[in-house]
């Protein structure tokens, strides 16, 4: 019977050498991560975590803040990288200067941030004619 079985699987002290160092090393148990590596962080999960989406146009130097749940209504439940590819600046109509990030606002930011809120989604029906 092994020592650990005799001690009912309690932690067994390892013998020390002359310098007072344990000569037997044990690997630390692997710690579970909060979010698995490689898994995409979507807008729904960002909303559940209390994050805010900041979308910036570097050309106009304008930053606008959105709630991730409202962005999800317009764009879908995508990652923040996909949001960056789908948005366009309202002033200069450019897509290439856009950057987007998710962050937790600090206490001061939470009071000073002005959010762009979703009012409505309007679908337009367009008729296109072709002469034959």
């Amino acid at each position: 019977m092994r020592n650990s079985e005799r001690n009912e699987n309690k932690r067994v002290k390892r013998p020390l050498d002359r310098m007072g160092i344990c000569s037997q090393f044990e690997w630390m148990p692997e710690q579970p991560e909060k979010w698995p590596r490689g898994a995409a962080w979507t807008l729904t999960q960002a909303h559940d975590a209390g994050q805010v989406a900041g979308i910036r146009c570097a050309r106009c130097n304008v930053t606008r803040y959105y709630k991730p749940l409202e962005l999800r209504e317009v764009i879908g439940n995508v990652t923040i990288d996909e949001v960056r590819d789908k948005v366009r600046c309202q002033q200069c109509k450019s897509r290439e200067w856009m950057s987007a990030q998710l962050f937790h606002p600090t206490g001061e930011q939470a009071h000073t941030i002005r959010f762009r809120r979703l009012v409505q989604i309007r679908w337009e029906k367009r008729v296109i004619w072709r002469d034959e």
Side-chain angles (χ1 to χ4, degrees):
M1 189 179 315
R2 296 174 24 194
N3 285 341
S4 61
E5 292 172 0
R6 252 185 263 133
N7 294 331
E8 299 170 7
N9 290 330
K10 292 182 184 174
R11 185 169 176 104
V12 178
K13 292 186 178 183
R14 304 281 183 210
L16 303 178
D17 61 5
R18 285 185 286 158
M19 309 238 345
I21 301 173
C22 178
S23 60
Q24 298 174 347
F25 294 102
E26 290 185 23
W27 295 100
M28 292 292 294
E30 188 134 349
Q31 298 293 322
E33 295 182 19
K34 290 183 179 177
W35 191 252
R37 268 189 198 149
W41 186 255
T42 61
L43 292 174
T44 302
Q45 291 145 348
H47 171 75
D48 294 340
Q51 291 182 320
V52 172
I55 300 177
R56 180 177 183 270
C57 176
R59 186 174 184 193
C60 301
N61 197 19
V62 175
T63 303
R64 293 190 173 93
Y65 301 98
Y66 300 88
K67 301 218 179 227
L69 205 59
E70 293 180 357
L71 275 178
R72 187 192 73 175
E73 292 294 317
V74 178
I75 300 173
N77 194 22
V78 296
T79 64
I80 195 66
D81 294 329
E82 292 172 294
V83 170
R84 183 182 307 121
D85 296 335
K86 293 184 179 188
V87 294
R88 181 186 300 261
C89 179
Q90 193 172 3
Q91 289 180 0
C92 67
K93 309 290 187 226
S94 175
R95 286 186 180 201
E96 59 193 38
W97 297 91
M98 301 304 287
S99 64
Q101 66 176 357
L102 292 169
F103 65 96
H104 291 282
T106 62
E108 182 180 341
Q109 285 177 330
H111 291 290
T112 58
I113 286 179
R114 292 184 59 199
F115 288 101
R116 296 196 92 191
R117 302 305 301 260
L118 180 63
V119 177
Q120 68 180 356
I121 299 175
R122 192 180 326 170
W123 295 96
E124 294 182 3
K125 186 175 184 180
R126 293 185 185 188
V127 178
I128 301 172
W129 295 95
R130 181 182 66 193
D131 291 331
E132 288 187 11

